[in-house]
Amino acid sequence: MSTVRAINLVLPETEVYLAGSSIDGQLVLNLRSTLVDPVVKVELVGRGYLRWLEEENPEWDYEKSTACTNQAVYISKTQNFRIEDGWLDPGVYAFDFHFNFPPSIPSTFNSKIGCISYFVQGTCCSGQVVLAKEERCLLLQGIAGDHRRPVKDKAPLVVEARKDIVYFCCFRRGSMILRISLEKNIFCPGETIVFMTDIANRTCKYVRKLIFALHCIVLYRGFSSRGDPCSLEDRSEVARLESQTDTAPFETMRVTSALVLPKPMPVTSTVMENKIMAFRYELVGTSSLPCTMSTIMARVPIIIAATPKHCSVEQKSVTLHENEDDVSKEVSLHRDSSETDPGAMASRSTE
């Protein structure tokens, strides 16, 4: 029968922790009998890991894949509790702990290729023997990034896509223009993206539906078993919205839509900031062309900043044009590399 009856971590009722903030909690230990030479500690750990299989040489006649992997440690802190007299009598003991999160750590993230996770772990040992352990996962919102200057120019962002159509059955031509307008292109986790879409239907058919999706594009950086650097870009949907339009032939319609961002979510960043992966976002509007197998697509670059108090930035208008799948971009974004000063580390223990 184990000496430890139960071990519990008592944490505050916080759904999402913010990078640069702190966490206070208790490790509650319930002993069935006297514990000699105890080691009681709480650890705060944050780490990232990625792995994917890559074809080694596509020109070979046989298939041979190599694993690309990488890992990073974002935070590793331990608080050991001092035990007077070198033993603990039977009973219940509460140990207070306190940790500060660094301001530069990334958000909690999980995909089929990589993950970034954070957890608090409480452990009770006697000598080298682990008697009891409990682990609690944490959701953390990163604030890393350099998008935090006051707004000087509130000019809207506009993206326009155009597609020409030829109907061979009736020897007629047509075109369709999709224009997405936003008041800004910088948003915070949990915020709502409100945007307007203008559809210019210059065909003889109805345009029935529009599909909007926010895509997260992740660039993973790893190493093969031989130590060679390798990279992989993966795209996934963060939010999705379908809108019925029924735009009549040779008419123009405006649709106002909204997408709610989840929380937490990784902020727009580089590999240098996150060590093993980089994040960027696109708001993609898609519509099927009437009586054809092709679609028209407009892509809006979106920046995910930190939190509402960090979300004001200097930005200027951005206009993208697309015609027959050719895209030209004129982007002017100003960034500030200022960082939040980390708080001082503090710890305390209660016997």
Side-chain angles (χ1 to χ4, degrees), residues 20 29 68 71 99 106 110 118 150 152 154 217 270 287 297 325 327 333:
L29 193 62
C68 295
Q71 58 185 343
F99 291 110
N110 188 37
Y118 299 89
K152 292 184 179 180
K154 294 185 178 181
I217 303 101
T270 63
S287 179
M297 183 179 296
D325 300 326
V327 181
L333 293 178

Side-chain angles (χ1 to χ4, degrees), residues 231-265:
S231 61
L232 175 69
E233 187 172 276
D234 183 62
R235 179 185 294 262
S236 61
E237 280 191 9
V238 176
R240 183 182 178 89
L241 174 67
E242 295 189 7
S243 178
Q244 300 294 328
T245 61
D246 291 331
T247 306
F250 304 103
E251 287 190 2
T252 300
M253 176 178 287
R254 169 166 289 186
V255 179
T256 301
S257 308
L259 282 173
V260 180
L261 298 178
K263 187 178 182 179
M265 64 186 301

Side-chain angles (χ1 to χ4, degrees), residues 44-272:
L44 174 63
V45 179
R47 58 196 177 197
Y49 178 79
L50 57 87
R51 183 181 187 275
W52 77 90
L53 295 177
E54 196 170 82
E55 190 175 352
E56 194 162 333
N57 193 333
E59 296 181 357
W60 289 348
D61 294 334
Y62 58 92
E63 293 184 2
K64 186 177 180 180
S65 299
T66 181
C68 295
T69 61
N70 205 349
Q71 58 185 343
V73 177
Y74 299 109
I75 181 173
S76 180
K77 297 182 179 181
T78 303
Q79 186 169 338
N80 291 283
F81 301 103
R82 185 174 61 88
I83 308 298
E84 289 186 355
D85 302 327
W87 75 80
L88 292 174
D89 292 326
V92 178
Y93 298 86
F95 302 90
D96 295 334
F97 63 86
H98 172 89
F99 291 110
N100 287 332
F101 294 105
S104 58
I105 55 179
S107 304
T108 301
F109 174 74
N110 188 37
S111 73
K112 60 183 180 181
I113 297 174
C115 69
I116 298 174
S117 60
Y118 299 89
F119 62 89
V120 173
Q121 180 177 272
T123 309
C124 178
C125 308
S126 179
Q128 300 297 322
V129 180
V130 177
L131 301 177
K133 180 189 295 185
E134 186 182 25
E135 182 179 301
R136 297 279 294 275
C137 293
L138 305 176
L139 293 179
L140 190 131
Q141 175 60 58
I143 61 172
D146 49 5
H147 317 290
R148 299 195 286 269
R149 282 189 179 177
V151 178
K152 292 184 179 180
D153 189 349
K154 294 185 178 181
L157 180 148
V158 180
V159 173
E160 183 178 291
R162 175 191 173 99
K163 195 83 169 184
D164 294 326
I165 312 168
V166 178
Y167 296 100
F168 292 102
C169 58
C170 53
F171 301 101
R172 298 187 63 179
R173 291 180 176 269
S175 65
M176 182 174 169
I177 298 176
L178 193 64
R179 183 183 297 109
I180 301 178
S181 305
L182 295 88
E183 289 299 320
K184 60 178 183 177
N185 74 322
I186 300 172
F187 298 90
C188 309
E191 193 177 358
T192 300
I193 302 177
V194 179
F195 55 96
M196 292 182 296
T197 306
D198 294 300
I199 311 163
N201 181 15
R202 298 172 183 174
T203 70
C204 57
K205 305 292 182 179
Y206 276 82
V207 177
R208 299 294 184 183
K209 184 170 65 174
L210 278 173
I211 299 175
F212 302 101
L214 180 66
H215 289 186
C216 177
I217 303 101
V218 187
L219 176 63
Y220 299 95
R221 291 287 178 87
F223 296 92
S224 66
S225 56
R226 295 190 300 269
D228 299 327
C230 48
S231 61
L232 175 69
E233 187 172 276
D234 183 62
R235 179 185 294 262
S236 61
E237 280 191 9
V238 176
R240 183 182 178 89
L241 174 67
E242 295 189 7
S243 178
Q244 300 294 328
T245 61
D246 291 331
T247 306
F250 304 103
E251 287 190 2
T252 300
M253 176 178 287
R254 169 166 289 186
V255 179
T256 301
S257 308
L259 282 173
V260 180
L261 298 178
K263 187 178 182 179
M265 64 186 301
V267 298
T268 302
S269 57
T270 63
V271 173
M272 184 177 297

Side-chain angles (χ1 to χ4, degrees), residues 277-293:
M277 57 186 81
F279 297 92
R280 60 187 178 91
Y281 295 88
E282 284 183 346
L283 175 62
V284 181
T286 309
S287 179
S288 299
L289 298 176
C291 299
T292 67
M293 299 297 292

